[in-house]
Amino acid sequence: MRCAVGVVHGLLHHALGLAQHDALLAPRKYLRELYAHGFIREEGLETGLFTLSREIDSLALTTLHQTTRLAGLARLARGHLLLTKKGSQLLDPAQRPALWSLVLHTFTSRFTWASHDGYPCPMVGQTGWAYSVYLLARFGQQSHPVRFYAVHYQRAFPFVLANFTDAAYRTPLE
């Protein structure tokens, strides 16, 4: 949410250029500022394996850009990302609940997570996202291994295991 507001605020002050493949050509300072919001931490950036110099260096920023456009907060015009009237209206602090609702709906329903997750079935990651949030709300006060949440997810949605037929590296349950 804070990153979406950051993008919209950035567009309020100036248009952001886009490369041929529609990646942000924002100044590095702007990209680093967006990443610093902590939307999601990426191991390669955190460990210094690579630096953030372009949008495509961060899946979080790529996702943010795509979600912002899908939500209608920004539009592409002549190679620049521009703030839409809708985006401008939702910048008002009184409109934050509406902005949150729009960004959440767009990210969970319109943006295809499979473009980043690498699973064979496009809906594996998105199936039951709200259940995952419920599990975090219920058990998140204490630290649990990822396997703890995976087992609960597999019990609730056993049909997703059918999408993992290639056991070249691990079995579907793993």
Side-chain angles (χ1 to χ4, degrees), residues 5 30 35 40 47 50 52 57 60 62 64 72 93 97 103 113 115 119 129 133 146 152 161 166-167 173:
V5 171
Y30 180 70
Y35 183 78
I40 201 166
T47 60
F50 56 90
L52 183 59
D57 293 336
T62 301
L64 180 62
V103 170
W113 297 0
S115 62
Y119 290 122
W129 67 266
V133 171
V146 173
H152 279 79
L161 294 176
D166 182 19
L173 282 174

Side-chain angles (χ1 to χ4, degrees), residues 11 14-18 24 74-83:
L11 292 171
H14 52 80
L16 298 176
L18 297 176
L24 287 174
R75 66 182 170 82
L76 181 63
R78 295 187 187 128
H80 287 83
L81 196 59
L82 303 172
L83 184 64

Side-chain angles (χ1 to χ4, degrees), residues 3-160:
C3 280
V5 171
V7 167
V8 174
H9 271 291
L11 292 171
L12 181 64
H13 300 295
H14 52 80
L16 298 176
L18 297 176
Q20 265 186 335
H21 56 291
D22 284 352
L24 287 174
L25 284 176
R28 286 183 196 165
K29 178 182 175 187
Y30 180 70
L31 292 174
R32 289 180 180 145
E33 187 178 304
L34 281 174
Y35 183 78
H37 281 287
F39 178 58
I40 201 166
R41 296 290 178 202
E42 297 180 44
E43 188 176 339
L45 292 172
E46 295 297 312
T47 60
L49 185 62
F50 56 90
T51 60
L52 183 59
S53 58
R54 303 169 300 176
E55 175 193 331
I56 59 174
D57 293 336
S58 166
L59 283 178
L61 293 179
T62 301
T63 300
L64 180 62
H65 171 200
Q66 293 169 351
T67 302
T68 303
R69 284 182 60 190
L70 282 171
L73 301 172
R75 66 182 170 82
L76 181 63
R78 295 187 187 128
H80 287 83
L81 196 59
L82 303 172
L83 184 64
T84 62
K85 184 176 181 179
K86 178 183 191 178
S88 181
Q89 291 170 344
L90 290 175
L91 270 179
D92 179 14
Q95 295 296 319
R96 290 293 161 88
L99 179 60
W100 167 250
S101 177
L102 175 65
V103 170
L104 181 65
H105 171 75
T106 302
F107 179 69
T108 57
S109 301
R110 297 189 61 210
F111 175 74
T112 305
W113 297 0
S115 62
H116 296 319
D117 68 15
Y119 290 122
C121 175
M123 292 310 292
V124 169
Q126 256 167 313
T127 299
W129 67 266
Y131 181 67
S132 297
V133 171
Y134 163 76
L135 288 175
L136 288 169
R138 180 152 184 230
F139 301 111
Q141 293 80 15
Q142 296 176 346
S143 182
H144 295 283
V146 173
R147 179 107 179 104
F148 173 83
Y149 294 103
V151 167
H152 279 79
Y153 185 86
Q154 289 168 359
R155 271 193 225 139
F157 305 102
F159 59 88
V160 298

